[in-house]
């Protein structure tokens, strides 16, 4: 039977889940795929983590050369997180002819061209299923199941931590800070959870998914990004009155004018399929010209779900005679990235309860050709919250209108602006 030597970098949440799957499912993988996955080395400095998992201490190392220069190792799977030393170790592995498997979306999305060049040089493979949507096989779907299609759009819940937080806030009125702590304890959040709640993590994933979908490099800095830290229970409650649920979405579209890619909180109708995606679950909608819409759904974070994607990649890397290449990340395409995208908008204000306030608001909205679909004003003494949803309009028009609205003498504050997608 073909032996595939594997090295694991890191034994935290993802590394631990991967180790358990590799050990527990070893003989089944041998029977079904005809390859024997042998863990040769594990790089982890915390011996206690290894002991807890029952890892024989003889495979532990803290020296990358034990991996790079070991001819028995064919695949290096990385779950350190962060850029360095992971980047150097992965490039060295590729140049030494070892395929890499990674869960590290920050590193992968920001350094894909260098990794691609190193992979070419070493005739090795890049495998990164676990970088996007945890256990949901979205990369494999884009790479290996959508060949018949020109992909026109991706829309998805691609961060488990923020979906867990927003679900708990919406369904249980839970406090943002408390739920974030639970998400950290459950192993969903990044080492620095700002990456989750400020939308960075989702922007890395959207960059990777869009680059695969549109066969054009969509770098992280072309992705518009906003996180969930400004979302309050007040917004969630107003949303419910409008029949809307709040989600952090990654949205990208390929249009005649160029590619639009954005990550931000979105209100969606509570009847929308993405509205029922709760907790740490992820879901990705992909639109193709032949297949129409497909939706993939599953656990977006956690040890075993992410380990599932990693082990699948290790099996692929071990079985592949020729590894897939990604020439688009090395091309300098003259692609236009659209920032003035169209959306409906929810706007929440605090205003003086006086005659004429609505008329002055309508005047400004009319000037920018923005019309309102629904409005709610709450009872209050002197100062009242006022909330409305617009018809579809352009981002620039909203930003210009809001900066004028802020200057109205009876507008105390513009409390929040949230995009609405149907
Ligand atoms: P953890 O912090 O749980 O694990 C990282 C592990 O790597 C720790 O044990 C850490 O040890 C070890 N490590 C880091 N640097 C070194 C080093 N230089 N030498 C030796 N050991 C090192 O992180 P996760 O498992 O949660 O995440 C890992 C990666 O997977 C990240 O890129 C993350 O974005 C990605 N990911 C995570 C998912 C999840 O659900 N958690 C899902 C999908 C992807 P120490 O504690 O001593 O620093
Ligand atoms: N922190 C990430 C999330 C892990 O919450 O989605 C999975 O990529």
């Amino acid at each position: 039977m073909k032996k595939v030597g594997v090295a694991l970098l890191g034994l935290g949440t993802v590394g631990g889940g991967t180790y358990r799957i590799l050990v527990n499912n070893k003989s089944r993988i041998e029977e079904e795929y005809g390859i024997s996955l042998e863990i040769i080395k594990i790089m982890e400095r915390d011996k206690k983590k290894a002991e807890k998992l029952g890892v024989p201490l003889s495979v532990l190392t803290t020296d990358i050369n034990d991996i790079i220069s070991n001819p028995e190792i064919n695949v290096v799977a990385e779950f350190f997180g962060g850029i360095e030393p992971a980047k150097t170790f992965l490039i060295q592995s590729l140049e030494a002819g070892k395929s890499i498997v990674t869960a590290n979306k920050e590193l992968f999305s920001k350094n894909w061209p260098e990794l691609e060049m190193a992979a070419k040089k070493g005739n090795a493979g890049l495998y990164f299923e676990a970088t996007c949507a945890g256990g949901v096989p979205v990369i494999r779907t884009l790479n290996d199941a959508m060949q018949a299609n020109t992909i026109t759009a991706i829309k998805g819940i691609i961060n488990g931590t923020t979906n867990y937080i927003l679900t708990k806030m919406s369904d249980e009125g839970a406090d943002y800070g408390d739920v974030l702590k639970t998400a950290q304890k459950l192993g969903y959040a990044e080492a620095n959870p700002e990456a989750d709640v400020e939308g960075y993590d989702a922007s890395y994933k959207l960059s990777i998914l869009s680059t695969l979908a549109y066969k054009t490099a969509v770098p992280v800095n072309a992705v518009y990004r906003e996180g969930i830290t400004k979302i309050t229970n007040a917004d969630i409650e107003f949303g419910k009155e409008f029949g809307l649920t709040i989600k952090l979405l990654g949205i990208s579209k390929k249009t005649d004018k160029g590619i639009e890619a954005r990550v931000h909180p979105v209100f969606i109708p509570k009847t929308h399929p993405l509205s029922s995606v709760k907790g740490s679950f992820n879901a990705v909608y992909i639109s193709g010209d032949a297949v129409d819409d497909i939706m993939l759904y599953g656990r977006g974070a956690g040890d075993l779900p992410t380990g599932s994607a990693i082990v699948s990649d290790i099996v692929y890397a071990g079985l592949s005679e020729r590894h897939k290449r990604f020439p688009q990340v090395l091309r300098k395409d003259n692609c236009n990235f659209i920032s003035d995208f169209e959306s409906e908008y929810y706007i929440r204000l605090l205003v003086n309860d006086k005659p004429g306030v609505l008329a002055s608001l309508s005047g400004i909205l009319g000037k920018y050709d923005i019309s309102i679909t629904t409005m709610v004003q709450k009872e209050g003494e002197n100062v009242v919250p006022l909330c409305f949803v617009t018809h579809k309009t352009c981002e620039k028009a909203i930003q210009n209108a809001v900066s004028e609205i802020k200057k109205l003498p009876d507008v105390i504050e513009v409390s929040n602006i949230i995009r609405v997608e149907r």
Side-chain angles (χ1 to χ4, degrees):
M1 182 172 317
K2 182 179 177 185
K3 277 193 181 170
V4 176
V6 180
L8 308 182
L9 307 188
L11 266 187
T13 304
V14 179
T18 301
Y19 180 81
R20 283 164 56 203
I21 297 173
L22 284 173
V23 170
N24 295 339
N25 294 356
K26 188 174 186 329
S27 52
R28 190 185 51 72
I29 292 170
E30 285 173 5
E31 274 165 38
E32 290 177 14
Y33 296 95
I35 50 170
S36 168
L37 303 178
E38 310 282 338
I39 301 173
I40 311 276
K41 285 284 168 204
I42 298 181
M43 192 167 178
E44 169 62 57
R45 51 196 166 204
D46 184 350
K47 275 194 187 154
K48 279 198 195 120
K49 282 185 187 158
E51 278 164 356
K52 229 174 159 183
L53 287 159
V55 173
L57 294 185
S58 58
V59 301
L60 281 191
T61 181
T62 52
D63 182 358
I64 191 65
N65 291 315
D66 289 345
I67 293 170
I68 309 289
S69 58
N70 188 332
E72 282 180 58
I73 295 174
N74 312 100
V75 180
V76 176
E78 181 270 330
F79 350 89
F80 274 177
I83 304 294
E84 288 295 357
K87 179 181 167 185
T88 302
F89 293 172
L90 291 185
I91 288 179
Q92 287 174 341
S93 303
L94 288 165
E95 288 178 349
K98 301 175 194 310
S99 290
I100 62 153
V101 171
T102 184
N104 190 338
K105 51 265 161 155
E106 180 182 8
L107 165 62
F108 195 80
S109 61
K110 291 181 178 170
N111 298 281
W112 194 347
E114 284 130 294
L115 293 167
E116 180 65 27
M117 279 191 293
K120 251 178 126 175
K121 195 170 162 190
N123 193 24
L126 295 181
Y127 293 85
F128 48 97
E129 182 63 68
T131 58
C132 295
V136 181
V138 58
I139 305 276
R140 194 133 291 128
T141 303
L142 284 169
N143 276 342
D144 296 333
M146 302 287 286
Q147 296 91 333
N149 293 269
T150 297
I151 297 172
T152 52
I154 296 174
K155 192 186 277 187
I157 295 170
I158 49 178
N159 181 270
T161 303
T162 47
N163 202 47
Y164 181 78
I165 294 173
L166 293 175
T167 304
K168 288 277 181 192
M169 286 172 76
S170 297
D171 291 1
E172 298 166 25
D175 173 72
Y176 168 86
D178 294 343
V179 195
L180 173 57
K181 279 190 198 132
T182 315
Q184 288 177 285
K185 271 196 208 129
L186 291 169
Y188 302 153
E190 296 301 302
N192 176 1
E194 199 188 326
D196 297 291
V197 297
E198 293 295 359
Y200 290 100
D201 178 78
S203 72
Y204 304 146
K205 293 167 178 167
L206 190 65
S207 155
I208 296 170
L209 295 176
S210 305
T211 297
L212 291 175
Y214 310 130
K215 311 282 186 287
T216 300
V218 179
V220 175
N221 62 15
V223 180
Y224 173 85
R225 177 196 54 77
E226 237 178 68
I228 63 161
T229 48
K230 290 194 198 121
I231 303 297
T232 64
N233 288 92
D235 295 310
I236 291 172
E237 291 312 312
F238 269 115
K240 284 181 187 167
E241 290 190 36
F242 295 132
L244 301 170
T245 312
I246 191 96
K247 294 286 175 194
L248 182 79
L249 293 191
I251 300 172
S252 76
K253 295 178 189 168
K254 187 177 187 182
T255 69
D256 293 342
K257 291 184 205 146
I259 291 173
E260 144 189 345
R262 48 195 168 103
V263 166
H264 51 71
V266 178
F267 271 128
I268 51 175
K270 65 171 191 267
T271 49
H272 192 289
L274 288 175
S275 167
S276 58
V277 177
K278 300 204 173 205
S280 71
F281 280 86
N282 281 192
V284 188
Y285 251 86
I286 305 172
S287 307
D289 60 348
V291 73
D292 202 355
D293 291 343
I294 60 166
M295 179 163 139
L296 303 171
Y297 169 84
R299 290 236 176 246
D303 55 358
L304 294 176
T306 313
S308 159
I310 294 281
V311 173
S312 167
D313 271 356
I314 295 175
V315 170
Y316 261 80
L319 286 173
S320 295
E321 298 296 330
R322 273 180 65 221
H323 303 289
K324 187 166 173 58
R325 296 281 171 243
F326 304 95
Q328 67 266 47
V329 300
L330 300 178
R331 280 196 315 258
K332 294 260 174 286
D333 289 347
N334 203 7
C335 180
N336 188 32
F337 293 106
I338 301 165
S339 55
D340 191 21
F341 47 81
E342 275 198 339
S343 180
E344 294 175 31
Y345 291 82
Y346 152 103
I347 300 180
R348 177 164 66 89
L349 310 169
L350 207 54
V351 298
N352 286 325
D353 193 10
K354 275 187 181 171
V357 176
L358 285 182
S360 43
L361 270 174
S362 309
I364 295 175
L365 294 173
K367 180 175 156 191
Y368 291 99
D369 216 14
I370 299 167
S371 60
I372 293 176
T373 55
T374 338
M375 181 177 282
V376 172
Q377 183 177 329
K378 293 282 173 191
E379 295 274 318
E381 278 185 25
N382 305 326
V383 171
V384 289
L386 173 73
C387 222
F388 58 90
V389 177
T390 72
H391 278 291
K392 222 175 212 183
T393 185
C394 290
E395 183 75 18
K396 255 190 211 146
I398 280 290
Q399 297 303 343
N400 289 336
V402 165
S403 59
E404 284 196 32
I405 288 170
K406 279 183 180 162
K407 290 181 197 144
L408 289 173
D410 287 315
V411 171
I412 315 292
E413 66 171 28
V414 175
S415 316
N416 218 340
I417 306 171
I418 300 171
R419 295 162 190 92
V420 180
E421 290 272 329
R422 306 268 167 198

